[in-house]
Each structure stands twice: as structure tokens, then as C-alpha cells.
């Protein structure tokens, strides 16, 4: 198996990287808001940060 084949997305890899964190977040916190917050943070490229004033920062 070469590197290109290893990095190619498969359904199992997508399930593990996208759905498994949501399941773990729900089990740990027992709140659906944590799942929504996780996906909001994951899919938001720019977030607002407050440090003496409000400014936009790229989501690391």
C-alpha cells in the first residue's frame, strides 16, 4: 500500500473522522449541544474572538 492509496478517502475513514467524534462528544457530555458546537467549530473558517475588542480570526 503506497501513501496515495493510504490517504484516499473511503467510507470507513469518513465515518470514523466525521461521525465518531460526535458520538464520543455525546457520550462524554450527554448533551446534543456539544455535537452541534463541534460541527459548528469544525465547519466555520473564521471565528470572532474577544480580546479588548472583537476581531476575526481564522479557525486554526
Amino acid at each position: 500500500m503506497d501513501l496515495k492509496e493510504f490517504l484516499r478517502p473511503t467510507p470507513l475513514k469518513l465515518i470514523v473522522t466525521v461521525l465518531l467524534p460526535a458520538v464520543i462528544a455525546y457520550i462524554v457530555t450527554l448533551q446534543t449541544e456539544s455535537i452541534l458546537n463541534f460541527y459548528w467549530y469544525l465547519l466555520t473558517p473564521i471565528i470572532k474572538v474577544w480580546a479588548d475588542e472583537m476581531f476575526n480570526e481564522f479557525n486554526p
Side-chain angles (χ1 to χ4, degrees), residues 31-54:
Q31 296 177 354
T32 56
E33 293 87 18
S34 62
I35 298 170
L36 298 175
N37 288 337
F38 169 75
Y39 285 114
W40 172 83
Y41 187 75
L42 183 69
L43 298 173
T44 304
I46 296 176
I47 57 175
K48 299 227 181 251
V49 178
W50 178 263
D52 295 332
E53 63 183 53
M54 186 72 70

